[in-house]
Amino acid sequence: MQTTAHISTAEASLHINHKDTDEGFEDDYPEEFPFWYSFPSGEQHIDRHQQKLLFESSSASKAVFPLDLFLKQRSSVDLRIRNDSTVAFDDNHQSFHNQDSVLHYFVPTTKSEKLLDQYISGVIEAFLDEPAPIYATAVSRTHSLTGKFGGLSIPDGNRSSVADLESYLNHLKLNVIDKSTRTGSSKMIGHMTTALPFFHRPLARLLAALNQNVVKIETASTFTNLERQTLAMLHKAFFGSSDEFYTRYAYAPEYALGVMASGGTIANITALWIARNKALAVNAANGCRGIDKEGYISAMLKYGYKRAVIIGSTLMHYSFKKAADLLGLGEEGLVLIPVDDAFRMRIDVLKAKVEKCVAENTLVIAIVGISGTTETGSIDPLLDIACIAHKYHIHFHVDAAWGGPLIFSPEHSSKLAGISQADTITVDGHKQLYTPMGLGILLAKCPSLVTFIRKTAGYVIRHDSPDLGKFTLEGSRPANVLYLHASLNLLGKQGLGTLMTRSVTVVKQMAVRLNLHPSQSFQTLHEPMSNVLLYRYIPSDLRESIADGTYVPNPEDEDRVSEVTKRLQIYQASCIPSDAVFPEVSTHATDESTNGEAGLHSQQNQLQGGFVSRTRVLFKGFHVNALRVVVANPLTTWRDVEGVISDQLKMGAMIEEEMKREQMVKRVRDMYPMHRPNAVVPDSAKSCTALAACDGTDTCKPDDKIEWWPGWPFDL
């Protein structure tokens, strides 16, 4: 059988002739090792002759990849893998084909994979390069997309034909890929996602081909050592121990310098699991055999503790709620310390809380410091926290999932002073170490810490084995360490430091831009310590008083500012059409404005299409909504930042007008509830003056002159 594959691209045309896609199949499985299959009627032996019948066809098959159309028209074309002829099978062997032709997907010599790779490469190129909305899905759009995923049953029968593959890929591209969130977009400055170095994409294909499982060395012989090496590299960057230390412990099978996980949540949970088991470990004096053997209640009773808690700031990541729940403390076992105006943990309150816990015989399992809070990017005073933790012999954990890579920036590494005093540190590879999603790291200062959670089994991760699965919460794990190893080696300390310095600089410049914007439309909530910034949109009637410092916060105005800010973020995330027309925006630009500012402030009907996220924090005594900017993408430029600001000025003006109309309608409703059944409108009200003149004061009475517009009354 001959199969001909045509691949056309915009640059070249490639014509490949080769044998059947299962070339070499018989050689891989000689006759002395026959196939055995389980049929409904029992086991069925298929000899070598029958194998040939299963995978041969009486007619030629041709697969055509119209990549030329795809590369020219990108995502607008319906790219297909087409089968121009039908593969025929002898009726006597049709049942065998239906049962067993899925083996086509597993034969490593197939040429179809090369064609599929070129197809996927075209899809990736279009996804990364084609200008498109960010698709940070709003709730309303989520409902509309749900209908595209209606099939909830696994398909019946065999799904191994070319037509099946064609149908699947088309569905995937049109309904999933084309509308996927552009997390790598330079305009996506609202979440902790970023563009990735190009080398990770081919490495992902390599990992899929290798399919290693680093839970045990028997399924990851070399990757187990690669993981240990990579952990040692990061450990040295944060703790800076001696060369002799790493020679002794980096590859010691009974210890580990940390563990890899699927993300920061698992790393944080693992850290507190270690801290709890260490605090309630084997103790000959009180007869405790360890919490891992006796359980929480028995261990607490033998140690004489009434309660156990974890202490951290009010800005702790939500993963600590999960940890407190899983470890038996409950969410009430989290003692939350308030933060100061810079969103950093208040050390005076922390000290008082720890002293109170000690006096009340409450076990403090750990104190958590944060290097780069998720909401504000702030960094707790780690050195002060370390001093308190060490004084009372409490486990000190630092959640540096976001801000940890500041250690590589000469300009900003001093902000992490005290992090080397931590017992454990969480860092996320898929944030600012620029690896694909799904990689968290927990570093342990003392290599023996991981032994407090060691678990073994007879068939795997044996007591004396070098398997890292002995120390991980997760069992089977992919070898994602390859991504981290590549980032550390190819980007290097200097490269990672440069990226961190650049991101922090962009955010600081944005804060200055917002504070000094001629329109006075924005207010920043803090001085950014890293590359996260909170700010809010200010309605026009409050701008002057906030700018000159005479504004006195009050519930009514704060609620209004929060509502405008909330709507602005929702509108910006909802992919508003680029031809939407917005009201004129007064920027109060002066003659001294630069040409660049004049260009920025000129009226534009086109939106730039950026995205920022939203959070809610305590600010000057009020819980307020805030816009949240996160810049980590090396491709984000100042033009992208200015585009976001420009869009928000236009949308903010529109929202202000919208809220004024809503308030006007509300006042009319309160005076004349005509939308209610059987409501009666006084005749005097129908001859009133302009409705807009009603300001809600006593001067606006029902007998004032209001001129009703055509079509009134209507259902409000």
Side-chain angles (χ1 to χ4, degrees), residues 8 66-79 118-127 173 178:
S8 299
L67 284 175
D68 52 337
L69 292 176
F70 177 76
L71 293 175
K72 289 178 181 178
Q73 302 180 26
R74 299 295 169 86
S75 59
S76 63
V77 71
D78 182 8
L79 182 60
Q118 294 190 42
Y119 170 89
I120 296 298
S121 295
V123 173
I124 292 173
E125 181 183 350
F127 182 84
K173 181 179 183 300
D178 287 352

Short mmCIF file of all heavy atoms in Angstrom, two decimals, residues 8 66-79 118-127 173 178:
data_model
loop_
_atom_site.label_atom_id
_atom_site.label_comp_id
_atom_site.label_asym_id
_atom_site.label_seq_id
_atom_site.Cartn_x
_atom_site.Cartn_y
_atom_site.Cartn_z
N SER A 8 1.32 21.84 1.41
CA SER A 8 1.57 23.10 0.72
C SER A 8 1.68 24.21 1.74
O SER A 8 0.87 24.32 2.64
CB SER A 8 0.43 23.41 -0.25
OG SER A 8 0.33 22.40 -1.22
N PRO A 66 -4.01 21.61 3.83
CA PRO A 66 -3.99 22.90 3.11
C PRO A 66 -3.35 24.00 3.94
O PRO A 66 -3.98 24.99 4.29
CB PRO A 66 -5.47 23.16 2.86
CG PRO A 66 -6.16 22.50 3.99
CD PRO A 66 -5.35 21.27 4.31
N LEU A 67 -2.09 23.82 4.30
CA LEU A 67 -1.42 24.81 5.14
C LEU A 67 -1.17 26.12 4.40
O LEU A 67 -0.97 27.15 5.03
CB LEU A 67 -0.08 24.25 5.64
CG LEU A 67 -0.19 23.22 6.77
CD1 LEU A 67 1.18 22.66 7.08
CD2 LEU A 67 -0.79 23.85 8.00
N ASP A 68 -1.17 26.07 3.05
CA ASP A 68 -0.97 27.32 2.32
C ASP A 68 -2.11 28.29 2.61
O ASP A 68 -1.89 29.47 2.86
CB ASP A 68 -0.84 27.04 0.83
CG ASP A 68 -2.00 26.21 0.30
OD1 ASP A 68 -2.63 25.49 1.10
OD2 ASP A 68 -2.26 26.27 -0.90
N LEU A 69 -3.34 27.77 2.58
CA LEU A 69 -4.48 28.62 2.92
C LEU A 69 -4.40 29.08 4.36
O LEU A 69 -4.70 30.22 4.69
CB LEU A 69 -5.79 27.86 2.67
CG LEU A 69 -6.12 27.54 1.22
CD1 LEU A 69 -7.39 26.71 1.16
CD2 LEU A 69 -6.28 28.81 0.42
N PHE A 70 -3.98 28.16 5.21
CA PHE A 70 -3.92 28.48 6.64
C PHE A 70 -2.92 29.60 6.91
O PHE A 70 -3.20 30.56 7.62
CB PHE A 70 -3.54 27.24 7.42
CG PHE A 70 -3.40 27.49 8.88
CD1 PHE A 70 -4.52 27.65 9.67
CD2 PHE A 70 -2.15 27.60 9.46
CE1 PHE A 70 -4.39 27.89 11.02
CE2 PHE A 70 -2.02 27.84 10.80
CZ PHE A 70 -3.14 27.99 11.58
N LEU A 71 -1.72 29.49 6.33
CA LEU A 71 -0.70 30.49 6.60
C LEU A 71 -1.04 31.83 5.97
O LEU A 71 -0.61 32.87 6.44
CB LEU A 71 0.65 29.99 6.07
CG LEU A 71 1.22 28.78 6.82
CD1 LEU A 71 2.49 28.31 6.15
CD2 LEU A 71 1.48 29.12 8.27
N LYS A 72 -1.85 31.81 4.89
CA LYS A 72 -2.23 33.07 4.26
C LYS A 72 -3.37 33.74 5.01
O LYS A 72 -3.38 34.94 5.22
CB LYS A 72 -2.66 32.82 2.81
CG LYS A 72 -1.49 32.46 1.88
CD LYS A 72 -2.01 32.17 0.48
CE LYS A 72 -0.87 31.78 -0.45
NZ LYS A 72 -1.35 31.45 -1.80
N GLN A 73 -4.36 32.93 5.41
CA GLN A 73 -5.55 33.51 6.00
C GLN A 73 -5.63 33.30 7.50
O GLN A 73 -6.55 33.77 8.15
CB GLN A 73 -6.79 32.92 5.33
CG GLN A 73 -6.80 33.15 3.82
CD GLN A 73 -8.03 32.56 3.18
OE1 GLN A 73 -9.06 32.42 3.82
NE2 GLN A 73 -7.93 32.21 1.91
N ARG A 74 -4.66 32.56 8.06
CA ARG A 74 -4.58 32.32 9.48
C ARG A 74 -5.87 31.73 10.02
O ARG A 74 -6.46 30.84 9.44
CB ARG A 74 -4.20 33.61 10.23
CG ARG A 74 -2.86 34.16 9.81
CD ARG A 74 -1.75 33.20 10.21
NE ARG A 74 -0.49 33.54 9.63
CZ ARG A 74 0.36 34.40 10.16
NH1 ARG A 74 0.07 34.99 11.27
NH2 ARG A 74 1.51 34.65 9.58
N SER A 75 -6.34 32.27 11.14
CA SER A 75 -7.44 31.61 11.83
C SER A 75 -8.77 31.73 11.11
O SER A 75 -9.75 31.14 11.54
CB SER A 75 -7.57 32.21 13.24
OG SER A 75 -7.79 33.59 13.14
N SER A 76 -8.84 32.49 10.02
CA SER A 76 -10.12 32.64 9.33
C SER A 76 -10.46 31.43 8.47
O SER A 76 -11.59 31.26 8.05
CB SER A 76 -10.08 33.89 8.45
OG SER A 76 -9.09 33.76 7.45
N VAL A 77 -9.48 30.58 8.18
CA VAL A 77 -9.73 29.45 7.31
C VAL A 77 -10.04 28.21 8.14
O VAL A 77 -9.55 28.05 9.25
CB VAL A 77 -8.51 29.17 6.40
CG1 VAL A 77 -7.36 28.63 7.18
CG2 VAL A 77 -8.88 28.19 5.29
N ASP A 78 -10.89 27.36 7.61
CA ASP A 78 -11.24 26.11 8.27
C ASP A 78 -10.22 25.06 7.84
O ASP A 78 -10.36 24.41 6.82
CB ASP A 78 -12.66 25.70 7.87
CG ASP A 78 -13.09 24.42 8.56
OD1 ASP A 78 -12.37 23.94 9.45
OD2 ASP A 78 -14.15 23.91 8.19
N LEU A 79 -9.15 24.94 8.62
CA LEU A 79 -8.06 24.03 8.26
C LEU A 79 -8.46 22.59 8.54
O LEU A 79 -8.97 22.27 9.60
CB LEU A 79 -6.82 24.38 9.07
CG LEU A 79 -5.57 23.55 8.78
CD1 LEU A 79 -5.19 23.68 7.33
CD2 LEU A 79 -4.44 24.00 9.67
N GLN A 118 3.24 19.73 11.49
CA GLN A 118 3.25 20.93 10.67
C GLN A 118 1.91 21.66 10.76
O GLN A 118 1.85 22.89 10.76
CB GLN A 118 3.58 20.57 9.22
CG GLN A 118 5.00 20.03 9.07
CD GLN A 118 5.41 19.90 7.63
OE1 GLN A 118 5.14 20.77 6.81
NE2 GLN A 118 6.08 18.80 7.30
N TYR A 119 0.85 20.90 10.83
CA TYR A 119 -0.48 21.51 11.02
C TYR A 119 -0.52 22.27 12.34
O TYR A 119 -0.91 23.44 12.40
CB TYR A 119 -1.53 20.40 11.00
CG TYR A 119 -2.92 20.85 11.41
CD1 TYR A 119 -3.81 21.34 10.47
CD2 TYR A 119 -3.33 20.77 12.74
CE1 TYR A 119 -5.08 21.75 10.85
CE2 TYR A 119 -4.59 21.16 13.12
CZ TYR A 119 -5.46 21.65 12.17
OH TYR A 119 -6.71 22.05 12.55
N ILE A 120 -0.10 21.62 13.43
CA ILE A 120 -0.12 22.24 14.75
C ILE A 120 0.79 23.46 14.78
O ILE A 120 0.48 24.48 15.40
CB ILE A 120 0.29 21.23 15.83
CG1 ILE A 120 -0.74 20.09 15.91
CG2 ILE A 120 0.41 21.92 17.19
CD1 ILE A 120 -2.13 20.53 16.28
N SER A 121 1.93 23.39 14.09
CA SER A 121 2.84 24.53 14.04
C SER A 121 2.16 25.74 13.42
O SER A 121 2.33 26.88 13.87
CB SER A 121 4.10 24.17 13.25
OG SER A 121 4.84 23.17 13.91
N GLY A 122 1.36 25.50 12.37
CA GLY A 122 0.62 26.59 11.76
C GLY A 122 -0.42 27.17 12.70
O GLY A 122 -0.61 28.39 12.77
N VAL A 123 -1.10 26.31 13.43
CA VAL A 123 -2.10 26.77 14.40
C VAL A 123 -1.44 27.61 15.49
O VAL A 123 -1.93 28.67 15.88
CB VAL A 123 -2.84 25.57 15.02
CG1 VAL A 123 -3.76 26.03 16.16
CG2 VAL A 123 -3.65 24.83 13.97
N ILE A 124 -0.29 27.15 15.98
CA ILE A 124 0.43 27.89 17.03
C ILE A 124 0.89 29.25 16.52
O ILE A 124 0.75 30.27 17.21
CB ILE A 124 1.64 27.06 17.52
CG1 ILE A 124 1.16 25.82 18.27
CG2 ILE A 124 2.54 27.91 18.42
CD1 ILE A 124 2.26 24.86 18.64
N GLU A 125 1.42 29.26 15.30
CA GLU A 125 1.89 30.53 14.73
C GLU A 125 0.76 31.55 14.64
O GLU A 125 0.92 32.72 15.00
CB GLU A 125 2.49 30.28 13.35
CG GLU A 125 3.03 31.55 12.70
CD GLU A 125 3.55 31.30 11.30
OE1 GLU A 125 3.66 30.13 10.91
OE2 GLU A 125 3.82 32.29 10.59
N ALA A 126 -0.40 31.09 14.18
CA ALA A 126 -1.54 31.99 14.08
C ALA A 126 -2.00 32.46 15.45
O ALA A 126 -2.32 33.63 15.65
CB ALA A 126 -2.68 31.30 13.34
N PHE A 127 -2.04 31.54 16.40
CA PHE A 127 -2.51 31.89 17.75
C PHE A 127 -1.62 32.95 18.38
O PHE A 127 -2.09 33.87 19.04
CB PHE A 127 -2.52 30.64 18.62
CG PHE A 127 -3.03 30.87 20.02
CD1 PHE A 127 -4.39 30.86 20.28
CD2 PHE A 127 -2.15 31.09 21.07
CE1 PHE A 127 -4.87 31.08 21.57
CE2 PHE A 127 -2.61 31.31 22.35
CZ PHE A 127 -3.98 31.31 22.60
N LYS A 173 -9.97 23.41 16.99
CA LYS A 173 -9.49 24.71 16.54
C LYS A 173 -10.59 25.77 16.59
O LYS A 173 -10.38 26.87 17.10
CB LYS A 173 -8.93 24.61 15.12
CG LYS A 173 -8.39 25.94 14.61
CD LYS A 173 -7.83 25.83 13.22
CE LYS A 173 -7.24 27.16 12.80
NZ LYS A 173 -8.25 28.24 12.78
N ASP A 178 -9.32 28.92 18.89
CA ASP A 178 -9.54 30.27 18.36
C ASP A 178 -10.07 31.23 19.41
O ASP A 178 -9.84 32.43 19.33
CB ASP A 178 -10.50 30.22 17.17
CG ASP A 178 -9.85 29.65 15.93
OD1 ASP A 178 -8.63 29.44 15.95
OD2 ASP A 178 -10.56 29.40 14.94
#
